[in-house]
């Protein structure tokens, strides 16, 4: 399904995807000089890691959170199938091991007639980690004690993603949510920083629109629409 485009070094695979604008393309770079993260943060992208963006068209607004969910499920499954490592998915789209971030996903829509979306996936595999994220990030080679096979992980990811994309096209939303939940952080004590407030509580469920439900210390249910989650 995806036409693959490889780059040794580019600013950002997400930016490249937007520039190319041709659907069903996967852009892969060995290194990014201006990797983008959520909340306008950068994404440290030295050689050795996986930096990949998918460009899709015909994306309905209501499918966007599900696209992010299937990207997280697929990245998790690709790591599990290729390395046998179990990671957990932290809402909305990070892969976590030992409370540290192994993979981040950034989804963006490009408005216009074709209703395009770019899904950018960054996985710390064999790269050095940002020294400023000490104790917050982790890489596969550190966990496994050996080099990870980036090519194998990317190929497996694309295969699994295609399967889940078909599931999404068939509108099997509950299957996506239930697969996401199977290996998720639900049950963990968390802190969520939203635009206007910080919440403390236990992550306990995901609703049918992919929103996070937490219980605060007074047992009150709170629905989280956006935010930065930390497992505590
Ligand atoms: C996050 O902040 O958790 C999301 C990080 C997403 C990083 C990836 S790396 C490939 C793609 N290109 C980018 O510039 N960003 C995404």
């Amino acid at each position: 399904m995806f036409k693959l485009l490889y780059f040794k070094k580019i600013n950002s695979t997400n930016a490249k995807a937007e520039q190319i604008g041709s659907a069903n393309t996967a852009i892969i770079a060995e290194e990014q000089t201006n990797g983008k993260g959520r909340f306008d943060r950068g994404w440290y992208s030295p050689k050795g890691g996986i930096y990949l963006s998918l460009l899709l068209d015909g994306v309905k607004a209501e499918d966007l959170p599900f696209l992010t969910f299937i990207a997280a499920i697929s990245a998790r499954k690709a790591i599990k199938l290729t390395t046998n490592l179990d990671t957990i998915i932290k809402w909305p789209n990070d892969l976590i091991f030992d409370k540290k971030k192994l993979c981040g996903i950034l989804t963006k829509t490009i408005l216009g007639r074709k209703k395009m979306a770019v899904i950018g996936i960054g996985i710390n595999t064999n790269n050095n980690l940002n020294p400023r994220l000490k104790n917050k990030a982790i890489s596969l080679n550190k966990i496994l004690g050996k080099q990870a096979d980036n090519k194998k992980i990317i190929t497996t990811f694309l295969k699994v993603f295609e399967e889940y994309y078909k599931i999404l096209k068939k509108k099997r939303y509950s299957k996506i949510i239930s697969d996401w939940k199977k290996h998720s952080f639900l049950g963990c004590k968390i802190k969520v920083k939203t635009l206007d407030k910080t919440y403390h509580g236990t992550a306990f469920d995901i609703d049918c629109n992919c929103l996070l439900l937490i219980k605060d210390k007074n047992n009150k249910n709170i629905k989280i629409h956006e935010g930065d989650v930390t497992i505590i």
Side-chain angles (χ1 to χ4, degrees), residues 57-59 63 164-172:
D57 65 357
V59 175
D63 283 350
Y164 272 95
Y165 193 57
K166 281 184 203 147
I167 293 172
L168 177 57
K169 285 280 171 199
K170 286 185 191 151
K171 300 184 191 299
R172 294 178 60 205

Side-chain angles (χ1 to χ4, degrees), residues 91 177 180-181 186-187 202-207 211-214:
W91 185 88
I177 291 182
W180 188 98
K181 282 189 196 174
L186 292 181
T202 303
F204 81 93
D205 208 359
I206 297 293
D207 79 357
L211 300 179
L212 171 64
L213 301 171
I214 70 170

